[in-house]
Amino acid sequence: MAANLDFASLGFGYIKTDWRYVSNFKNGAWDEGALTQDDKIVISECAGVLQYAQTVFEGLKAYTTQDGHVVVFRPDLNADRMIESAKRLIMPEFPKERFIDAVKKVVEANLDYVPPFGSGASLYLRPYMFGSDPVIGVKPANEYQFRIFCTPVGPYFKGGVKPLTLNVSDFDRAAPHGTGHIKAGLNYAMSLYAITWAHDNGFDENMYLDSATRTKVEETGGANFLFVTKDGKVVTPKSDTILPSITRRSLLYVAKEYLGLEVEEREIYKEELSDFAECGLCGTAAVISPVGKIVDHGKEICLPSGMSAMGPVTQKLYDTLTGIQMGKIEAPKDWIVRIK
């Protein structure tokens, strides 16, 4: 029986569900893990995560497809990325097979919270890991907890798509040889001041440049960029300091293999922005958020696609990828994991 929720009216926020998954790392090994209904975490006041921000996380969604199945999208890539994040923060790797199994268990246990097809909503899953034992000197924790909770969320765009206005930020998101390429909580903490400033000044998001030269486009606080040239080529920034978005990688494959478009991953310079026909932000939450305007210290760069709707290529990419996720279009091998 479905949860007593108005799925069509959900926003993008947290709603407590019935079950979550927990596994603890102690004495050099992970325990067998289990589902629990307890949503509270009890840790030492001196836990590594509280003192030195030793935590990494992931985000993915479960959907109800057109034919009534419940599926998740490419959880193997989330598992891989979390392993890379853990390595960088000297945390134990949570095994890939166990990660995927835990995702399945959480979705199966919370099927009542998976929104129906056509509602525009989905079940968002948040796997995360943190240092849990006391750490007072600056060093990695010895004990860790891996958890997954889920929450039903509404469509990212309430009332339809509205292209975003971006601010070219004076703040840096990530340093060369830093942690910009992993999904660590500390990266998002340092973006909070910058995004609050942007919102207070009438912008929807920040465009971060590379901190070494401040000439190249990197990403926003929580999404990768995707550009379309005036001759229809799909281009994304190449950098060692941006997060390798699963959605972006999927969109590039769709562009090339499904839509027959030319695709290129390369360094993109700020001076090129006025040459592009379309721009979008790629991420789990919205798939693609269209960008209509970029403001660089008072200079407005208006994308030809405009401020009223997605550009035509961006729209095709969005429709194709969401069609694959929702079972309307046949998916590439192993992209869709069926839960029910």
Side-chain angles (χ1 to χ4, degrees):
M1 183 176 177
N4 187 25
L5 292 170
D6 182 2
F7 288 112
S9 299
L10 289 178
F12 200 85
Y14 173 77
I15 295 171
K16 180 185 172 184
T17 53
D18 294 338
W19 295 92
R20 64 271 312 132
Y21 179 90
V22 183
S23 181
N24 290 287
F25 182 89
K26 192 173 182 179
N27 298 323
W30 290 103
D31 66 15
E32 62 183 15
L35 291 171
T36 177
Q37 290 193 296
D38 187 0
D39 64 323
K40 300 297 186 288
I41 298 171
V42 178
I43 52 176
S44 166
E45 63 184 352
C46 194
V49 62
L50 301 178
Q51 304 309 315
Y52 303 119
Q54 201 181 13
T55 179
V56 296
F57 71 98
E58 278 297 325
L60 66 159
K61 287 180 174 179
Y63 310 85
T64 301
T65 61
Q66 184 172 247
D67 55 3
H69 295 301
V70 173
V71 303
V72 290
F73 183 69
R74 309 194 77 178
D76 56 315
L77 295 190
N78 293 97
D80 289 339
R81 192 168 64 181
M82 193 168 201
I83 286 170
E84 292 306 308
S85 296
K87 286 179 182 176
R88 182 62 177 80
L89 292 191
I90 314 296
M91 303 171 77
E93 299 172 21
F94 195 74
K96 182 173 182 175
E97 298 75 18
R98 289 196 56 189
F99 181 102
I100 296 170
D101 182 62
V103 165
K104 291 177 180 177
K105 282 183 166 68
V106 171
V107 177
E108 287 170 351
N110 292 286
L111 282 174
D112 288 349
Y113 291 93
V114 181
F117 175 79
S119 64
S122 55
L123 187 72
Y124 183 83
L125 291 108
R126 171 54 61 86
Y128 59 112
M129 187 198 303
F130 56 89
S132 55
D133 64 320
V135 178
I136 196 67
V138 181
K139 61 180 181 179
N142 292 310
E143 297 177 9
Y144 296 85
Q145 191 167 104
F146 171 85
R147 298 177 71 101
I148 303 178
F149 69 81
C150 63
T151 182
V153 295
Y156 195 79
F157 298 120
K158 297 296 280 187
V161 174
K162 181 182 180 298
L164 308 175
T165 299
L166 306 189
N167 165 62
V168 176
S169 182
D170 287 327
F171 297 100
D172 290 330
R173 179 191 158 269
H177 314 296
T179 58
H181 62 296
I182 66 168
K183 205 164 177 66
L186 55 91
N187 293 342
Y188 296 81
M190 64 186 292
S191 74
L192 294 176
Y193 184 91
I195 191 60
T196 300
W197 185 95
H199 290 163
D200 288 347
N201 286 273
F203 302 102
D204 297 301
E205 254 292 3
N206 285 305
M207 170 180 281
Y208 292 106
L209 305 176
D210 72 295
S211 58
T213 71
R214 300 199 57 75
T215 61
K216 291 175 278 193
V217 175
E218 293 252 296
E219 63 166 90
T220 69
N224 283 186
F225 279 104
L226 181 148
F227 295 94
V228 181
T229 64
K230 289 173 181 172
D231 60 356
K233 182 192 291 185
V234 177
V235 185
T236 63
K238 184 175 184 177
S239 169
D240 292 334
T241 55
I242 62 175
L243 187 73
S245 164
I246 293 164
T247 303
R248 176 182 59 83
R249 283 180 273 170
S250 302
L251 286 167
L252 292 181
Y253 183 91
V254 163
K256 185 177 180 181
E257 303 297 334
Y258 280 67
L259 302 179
L261 300 173
E262 190 176 348
V263 169
E264 186 178 17
E265 186 178 2
R266 63 169 172 82
E267 292 182 336
I268 296 176
Y269 288 84
K270 186 179 72 168
E271 285 69 25
E272 296 181 67
L273 292 174
S274 58
D275 297 334
F276 291 112
E278 302 174 37
C279 174
L281 308 182
C282 315
T284 300
V287 181
I288 309 178
S289 307
V291 174
K293 185 192 298 183
I294 302 165
V295 182
D296 182 11
H297 299 85
K299 176 188 173 186
E300 292 191 352
I301 302 165
C302 298
L303 279 299
S305 50
M307 291 298 292
S308 59
M310 283 189 184
V313 175
T314 305
Q315 188 70 59
K316 284 180 186 174
L317 288 167
Y318 175 84
D319 290 343
T320 306
L321 187 58
T322 55
I324 288 169
Q325 292 172 334
M326 295 297 176
K328 298 178 184 178
I329 298 171
E330 186 175 353
K333 188 176 186 298
D334 299 328
W335 275 28
I336 302 297
V337 175
R338 183 172 157 183
I339 307 297
K340 179 181 82 76

